[in-house]
Amino acid sequence: MTQQPSGTKQTGTIAVKRGLAEMLKGGVIMDVVTPEHAKIAEDAGAVAVMALERVPADIRVQGGVARMSDPDMIEGIKDVVSIPVMAKARIGHFVEAQILQALGVDYIDESEVLTPADEAHHIDKFAFTVPFVCGATNLGEALRRISEGACLIRSKGEAGTGNIVEAVRHLRSITGDIRRITQADSAELFDWAKKLQAPLPLVQEIAETGWLPVPMFCAGGIAGPADAALAMQLGAESVFVGSGIFKSSAPEKRAKAIVEATTHFRDADILAKVSRGLGQAMTGIGMDQLTTKLADRGW
Amino acid sequence: MRVGVLAVQGAFARHGAALAELGVEPVFVRTPAHLVGVQALVMPGGESTAMSRLLMTSGLFDAIADRLNDGLAVFGTCAGMILLAREVLDGRPDQRSFGVIDLTVRRNGYGRQVDSFEQDLAVSGLEDPFHAVFIRAPVVTRVGSAAEVLAEYEGIPVVVRQGRVTVTSFHPELTEDHRLHAQFLQEVG
């Protein structure tokens, strides 16, 4: 064997952080509140779990301040599954993020589902070894999060509603603007950066590559296999499912069906097969009945 | 040449892009029908437990196992290495692997995401070092006598070949360096 080269080992690099997001593509990340839920998620073929104390639907109903989960609860979930474990920190709450990194979670979601801790600043995500995912409702928001160090973007949708309409709006907004930017000339890109309130180099990169510099997944409102496949056909590269699984009447079956639908998202025969006999979906909420729109949190 | 990329989950698109840059149009394999006419197969990084389940539910597991028995050339990276190994430690009880390379691997043996790393490696057959990205990578704990170690990191094999099966613990699909893909295509010829 040839001589080993002398490059030093590096952790927490952009390649390593974005790399894990690449590995999660074509998969389903499921919200879980107990180790039992986490096992069900892994059994069903989830690529990762999001450990939290209350699913968004319950946060909506119960109100109050929603914070990072208890470390014991996160450790309990880490102990029972072998897939990556994610956890949520409040927007701008970099100390919650420091704690989650110390716990060894695999991804931090700086999430609008929790009550924001800072009304102007998001976390400086470059300061961490652990990678971050952040939500976005439009391309400008996505690029601001990427410029702060987010290595994965999820369209926000409206968490805890079981209603896909906001996710569709956000996905279409992001992918539509990406398509328009690829048609823009070099002078127009300055105007795009201004309109999006986003760094010019990221806008120029999109013009060249036709995609975000990090993967984009979908979250917020996925209640069944058809919703997951819709998000994938609209350009999402994976899906987060929160309340949609464990607020339904048959979580195991529904979780498996959503996993199949995310892989075979263009195969209507498979989608028809896995959509059968799933019992009751979560009841869901219409957007006109909402008093708080979580997607409005984030700046 | 028709080269398939297992696409039930994981970084299949990046492998596809690497093959396309080398002039080979990839075929993304999600069902047994996609396997028809494929002369070589790439198994990407991803979550091996989820991939194992999707291989079973799609009927691909048996279809691929048959082709591997007939000598189909295969290149597996990270989760792909786990799927091809003879023995898997720290896996799920229901997790399946094809067992076509005589290795024992431990899932996430290099640790969790905060331990994921980049490192230059010397690889047999490549003139210059290869920049390797390890993500929650599997550790090879045993190498059978029929398997040939092509690269090591800190004394542990990270690129191994046995006949028409090549595996890496790291992710050559995540960098712009496609020499390992090129080497694989050359062997398949």
Side-chain angles (χ1 to χ4, degrees):
Chain A
M1 196 153 301
T2 39
Q3 189 63 40
Q4 196 68 256
S6 57
T8 49
K9 173 178 171 173
Q10 288 180 291
T11 58
T13 59
I14 292 282
V16 157
K17 290 172 166 180
R18 291 182 182 175
L20 179 56
E22 294 286 339
M23 298 311 133
L24 301 174
K25 279 186 180 174
V28 183
I29 299 143
M30 302 184 190
D31 277 5
V32 297
V33 299
T34 63
E36 293 70 42
H37 280 183
K39 279 309 283 181
I40 291 171
E42 193 184 65
D43 288 349
V47 292
V49 292
M50 177 76 71
L52 71 175
E53 269 171 4
R54 296 181 285 173
V55 292
D58 290 332
I59 292 176
R60 250 180 212 295
V61 174
Q62 293 159 7
V65 175
R67 308 177 179 88
M68 175 191 82
S69 298
D70 186 324
D72 278 344
M73 182 268 173
I74 294 169
E75 295 280 1
I77 284 170
K78 270 176 59 199
D79 287 346
V80 299
V81 293
S82 61
I83 54 178
V85 175
M86 302 187 176
K88 290 184 194 287
R90 283 179 266 178
I91 290 173
H93 205 315
F94 50 86
V95 174
E96 284 189 346
Q98 290 163 6
I99 293 168
L100 293 173
Q101 175 165 290
L103 292 172
V105 305
D106 297 296
Y107 239 94
I108 294 177
D109 184 4
E110 186 182 17
S111 176
E112 70 283 359
V113 168
L114 305 185
T115 311
D118 190 318
E119 293 188 325
H121 310 93
H122 283 252
I123 297 170
D124 171 9
K125 293 164 272 286
F126 287 109
F128 290 80
T129 305
V130 63
F132 280 75
V133 50
C134 287
T137 57
N138 57 53
L139 184 58
E141 203 177 355
L143 295 183
R144 287 195 294 280
R145 297 297 84 81
I146 293 167
S147 72
E148 297 156 1
C151 289
L152 170 61
I153 292 296
R154 56 175 171 75
S155 56
K156 282 181 180 171
E158 192 55 31
T161 61
N163 188 336
I164 197 69
V165 67
E166 294 298 302
V168 169
R169 186 196 319 284
H170 301 157
L171 283 171
R172 282 199 181 277
S173 170
I174 294 167
T175 58
D177 275 352
I178 290 174
R179 277 191 291 272
R180 283 183 276 275
I181 285 174
T182 61
Q183 300 302 310
D185 73 19
S186 58
E188 290 168 332
L189 296 180
F190 294 94
D191 188 45
W192 270 105
K194 195 169 63 184
K195 271 196 303 211
L196 293 173
Q197 298 178 56
L200 178 65
L202 288 179
V203 174
Q204 289 168 325
E205 188 178 340
I206 286 175
E208 202 165 302
T209 64
W211 195 236
L212 294 173
V214 304
M216 181 181 69
F217 296 177
C218 174
I222 291 170
D227 292 345
L230 177 65
M232 296 293 286
Q233 288 198 28
L234 285 171
E237 297 173 290
S238 279
V239 298
F240 286 85
V241 186
S243 320
I245 291 171
F246 290 102
K247 287 290 171 189
S248 74
S249 67
E252 291 92 341
K253 254 188 131 175
R254 188 165 290 268
K256 287 175 184 166
I258 293 173
V259 168
E260 294 293 330
T262 304
T263 289
H264 302 286
F265 66 95
R266 288 192 195 282
D267 190 329
D269 292 328
I270 294 180
L271 295 176
K273 194 175 114 198
V274 302
S275 297
R276 289 169 203 272
L278 298 181
Q280 277 292 315
M282 72 180 283
T283 311
I285 314 174
M287 288 307 127
D288 48 357
Q289 297 163 277
L290 281 188
T291 47
T292 310
K293 248 187 162 181
L294 301 176
D296 293 340
R297 299 166 167 178
W299 358 102
Chain B
M1 185 171 27
R2 273 174 86 82
V3 178
V5 180
L6 180 65
V8 291
Q9 194 275 315
F12 49 84
R14 296 296 288 263
H15 273 294
L19 293 172
E21 279 183 43
L22 294 169
V24 174
E25 208 46 55
V27 179
F28 292 107
V29 175
R30 291 187 173 87
T31 65
H34 300 150
L35 210 53
V36 176
V38 161
Q39 294 155 281
L41 185 64
V42 176
M43 293 193 184
E47 276 306 311
S48 62
T49 55
M51 287 163 71
S52 165
R53 193 185 147 72
L54 287 157
L55 282 167
M56 297 304 295
T57 56
S58 63
L60 262 177
F61 191 92
D62 290 339
I64 291 174
D66 285 349
R67 292 294 309 274
L68 290 171
N69 276 337
D70 295 341
L72 179 71
V74 62
F75 180 34
T77 63
C78 193
M81 171 193 262
I82 296 169
L83 288 173
L84 292 165
R86 172 90 23 105
E87 191 183 6
V88 178
L89 305 176
D90 291 351
R92 286 171 50 86
D94 60 356
Q95 185 168 353
R96 299 278 302 273
S97 66
F98 294 103
V100 289
I101 184 163
D102 191 11
L103 296 180
T104 301
V105 300
R106 183 179 298 283
R107 283 182 66 221
N108 307 332
Y110 286 98
R112 303 191 72 93
Q113 174 60 15
V114 288
D115 307 307
S116 293
F117 64 98
E118 299 181 47
Q119 173 72 46
D120 282 344
L121 296 172
V123 180
S124 284
L126 300 184
E127 232 166 79
D128 298 316
F130 193 91
H131 189 68
V133 181
F134 291 79
I135 301 197
R136 289 171 51 95
V139 163
V140 172
T141 60
R142 183 193 61 86
V143 182
S145 53
E148 179 191 2
V149 175
L150 301 182
E152 290 184 342
Y153 173 58
E154 293 185 336
I156 296 170
V158 292
V159 183
V160 186
R161 181 170 57 200
Q162 181 177 332
R164 289 167 73 77
V165 183
T166 307
V167 294
T168 66
S169 303
F170 55 88
H171 295 283
E173 73 273 26
L174 288 184
T175 54
E176 296 307 309
D177 184 348
H178 304 320
R179 286 177 296 163
L180 287 172
H181 288 87
Q183 210 173 44
F184 173 66
L185 293 177
Q186 211 165 22
E187 284 161 22
V188 176

